[in-house]
Amino acid sequence: MDEPARLQPEPALALLKLYDDALPHVYGYLRARCGSHPLAEDLAAETFLAAVAALRRTPPPELSTGWLVGTARHKLVDHWRRVAREEHGLHLVHEPAEDHDDPWDAELDLLRAHEVLRRLGTHHRAALTLRYLDDLPVPEVAALLGRSLHATEALLVRARAAFRRTYEGAEDPR
Amino acid sequence: MSDPLDALRAPVAPEDPDAAFAAALRTRLERAVLDPGGAALTSTPTDTARLAWPPSVTPYIGVPDALRAIDWYVDVFDAERRGEPYVMPDGSVGHAEVGIGDAVLMLAGGAPGTPGDVPPPDIPRFSLHVQVPDVDATVARAVAAGADLERPPGDQPYGRTGVIRDPFGHRWMVQTPPARASRVRHGDIGYVSIGVPDAQRAKNFYGAVLGWRFSPGSVEDGWQVEGPTPPVGMWGGATAPEVQLCYRVADLAAAVGRVRAQGGEAAEPERKPYGRLADCTDDQGIRFQLWEPADG
């Protein structure tokens, strides 16, 4: 038997116990937001391995399925950030100048809305996913994206405009 | 104004991943969790969010049935469970802690249903746990002064630790906590900053009233007060006198988000030698800081 000298009980052990229950939630969250099956698996794996490290911090976070989903959200944002860096040049070209936030009265067809979301630029997709699918308040979206509140509000205005443009274009294919 | 995009709201819908993927990830996870400790363990979730480092000297007891003993201390002394018991494969407890008032009791012991009134033979009945700045120096001094060396200092995830038995028969677990260890918990005040127009005047005043002594701080006209808890710093050149409190938080990014969500202002966190710090102002204008210690 080991010398009983542990000041800090191994907190990551609880993660193994929670794993079977939590994995479908983490995977389901990611799958609904990133569409791709292999990507959802990669990010789920990243989430759980990052959780082991996080649980060894002092003080450790309170482990729960909700906390793991929050960790998955960070991993998803990290993924989008990597993709956005690669896409950067592309978006500079495509970013429309006249962005506005006109009132829009429509009832979304959810299937088409998700398809539209997938076709948007990564930073727009990220902002709308966090704000609407995850239903987070704007300050939390800003914190996750590492942007100021004002920059995030402006990004959301542009993202909504891009979404609407694409959605209405998709509604009326010419 | 209604927003059609609100319809996108998607609460988490559990979805089973591919079974082979789930099994492979479990194996990776087990390896990651068990690697440093080595032992296969089980545990039950408890409130671990408020853990702080124990005091400098902590009693360490061995008991026959540790889990039952913890329940007993919780019931009788209103003790608070600290973290999760470190349960070994045979059901015995390698380490557990409870908080009683401002103190901590550490314990280890046998599996549930352990017979008899003494702990298993490999668990000492009573030890003391002491934290020192340099475990190697302390252990060397102890041995030179007649202590028996039971275990030479070695690095552990919880800090460098050695065990001695003093000439009077008592067993000491001597430990240097990792740099990240702090008695300060989430929500506690970690630091007090006093801003004054004239630092020399304030040094004279508090030196006379409280006996404070000052050493030069890291910023221009900044002074570190020697001794008080929580630590106090003073800086001169403030336009108006003010006291700012610095609170420790468990997750600085999340806390900064909460400050903003509640109508306060928070600057972007800055990296400092002691962790990350964000200057904040609450929704009524009080300035304060949030601090997340550096990760060990």
Side-chain angles (χ1 to χ4, degrees):
Chain A
M1 178 163 175
D2 278 359
E3 173 64 42
R6 277 203 167 243
L7 257 188
Q8 197 80 333
E10 173 56 76
L13 284 164
L15 185 61
L16 291 179
K17 199 168 183 187
L18 189 61
Y19 176 77
D20 289 335
D21 286 339
L23 179 62
H25 288 83
V26 168
Y27 180 76
Y29 169 85
L30 291 165
R31 179 96 166 84
R33 280 148 184 83
C34 64
S36 144
H37 169 76
L39 177 60
E41 286 187 353
D42 283 353
L43 294 177
E46 274 187 39
T47 299
F48 279 93
L49 292 169
V52 174
L55 287 167
R56 289 188 175 139
R57 286 195 208 122
T58 312
E62 204 164 340
L63 176 60
S64 66
T65 300
W67 176 77
L68 284 166
V69 169
T71 306
R73 179 179 294 130
H74 279 279
K75 292 295 155 196
L76 186 57
V77 169
D78 289 346
H79 163 74
W80 281 328
R81 196 169 285 141
R82 287 193 293 269
V83 175
R85 257 198 304 272
E86 288 160 22
E87 285 176 350
H88 190 57
L90 201 68
H91 284 296
L92 285 182
V93 178
H94 287 280
E95 194 78 78
E98 37 24 301
D99 282 322
H100 43 76
D101 211 6
D102 290 341
W104 183 28
D105 191 22
E107 200 169 318
L108 294 187
D109 176 312
L110 282 183
L111 266 181
R112 190 164 70 229
H114 279 103
E115 176 53 32
V116 165
L117 210 51
R118 271 195 283 278
R119 281 158 52 190
L120 293 182
T122 304
H123 52 338
H124 289 166
R125 182 180 175 185
L128 293 180
T129 300
L130 295 174
R131 177 70 188 88
Y132 291 102
L133 275 74
D134 287 14
D135 198 25
L136 296 180
V138 178
E140 276 185 49
V141 177
L144 279 161
L145 295 180
R147 291 169 180 250
S148 73
L149 195 56
H150 290 304
T152 305
E153 279 164 352
L155 173 65
L156 279 165
V157 168
R158 286 198 304 276
R160 273 194 296 264
F163 179 91
R164 182 175 175 179
R165 227 174 9 252
T166 313
Y167 186 89
E168 288 178 337
E171 197 168 30
D172 177 27
R174 274 167 290 186
Chain B
M1 187 182 82
S2 81
D3 185 340
L5 273 72
D6 285 338
L8 288 170
R9 185 160 188 272
V12 177
E15 180 180 341
D16 282 322
D18 181 65
F21 163 75
L25 178 55
R26 172 177 270 283
T27 306
R28 279 177 77 188
L29 207 56
E30 281 169 352
R31 209 171 298 141
V33 170
L34 300 180
D35 251 1
L41 311 149
T42 59
S43 58
T44 47
T46 46
D47 175 19
T48 55
R50 293 173 60 240
L51 277 188
W53 211 249
S56 301
V57 175
T58 302
Y60 205 126
I61 59 173
V63 292
D65 178 345
L67 295 176
R68 200 162 59 84
I70 293 169
D71 290 342
W72 199 90
Y73 299 136
V74 167
D75 286 345
V76 175
F77 298 133
D78 204 17
E80 178 191 7
R81 292 168 203 275
R82 289 172 48 88
E84 295 157 18
Y86 193 81
V87 181
M88 314 303 283
D90 62 359
S92 63
V93 171
H95 180 84
E97 293 179 10
V98 293
I100 301 175
D102 60 356
V104 169
L105 173 67
M106 299 179 179
L107 60 157
T114 309
D117 58 355
V118 293
D122 52 351
I123 298 177
R125 202 179 164 88
F126 188 80
S127 307
L128 288 158
H129 186 279
V130 61
Q131 294 169 38
V132 299
D134 181 347
V135 57
D136 296 81
T138 301
V139 167
R141 208 156 48 232
V143 170
D148 289 332
L149 181 61
E150 191 175 306
R151 188 174 54 159
D155 286 313
Q156 304 289 343
Y158 42 86
R160 193 166 170 83
T161 306
V163 181
I164 57 154
R165 199 173 285 273
D166 72 24
F168 320 101
H170 285 290
R171 184 175 181 272
W172 293 84
M173 302 163 72
V174 187
Q175 189 216 32
T176 299
R180 64 175 186 277
S182 170
R183 292 280 291 147
V184 183
R185 305 187 295 192
H186 175 88
D188 284 352
I189 295 166
Y191 196 83
V192 178
S193 311
I194 303 176
V196 289
D198 183 341
Q200 190 53 53
R201 237 175 98 184
K203 284 164 64 184
N204 293 342
F205 182 89
Y206 287 99
V209 173
L210 299 174
W212 276 1
R213 298 156 67 90
F214 299 83
S215 50
S218 55
V219 296
E220 178 75 20
D221 205 15
W223 302 89
Q224 184 64 45
V225 184
E226 294 168 8
T229 307
V232 178
M234 190 177 278
W235 87 93
T239 46
E242 80 170 308
V243 174
Q244 286 186 29
L245 303 180
C246 173
Y247 305 98
R248 178 184 179 165
V249 293
D251 180 341
L252 184 59
V256 159
R258 289 193 296 271
V259 168
R260 293 170 179 161
Q262 294 302 315
E265 288 171 25
E268 285 308 307
E270 286 178 44
R271 205 167 283 282
K272 307 276 186 185
Y274 44 83
R276 292 187 315 132
L277 193 75
D279 282 306
C280 302
T281 307
D282 77 10
D283 62 343
Q284 298 186 67
I286 297 176
R287 301 206 292 168
F288 63 100
Q289 289 114 28
L290 295 178
W291 161 60
E292 181 183 341
D295 213 26

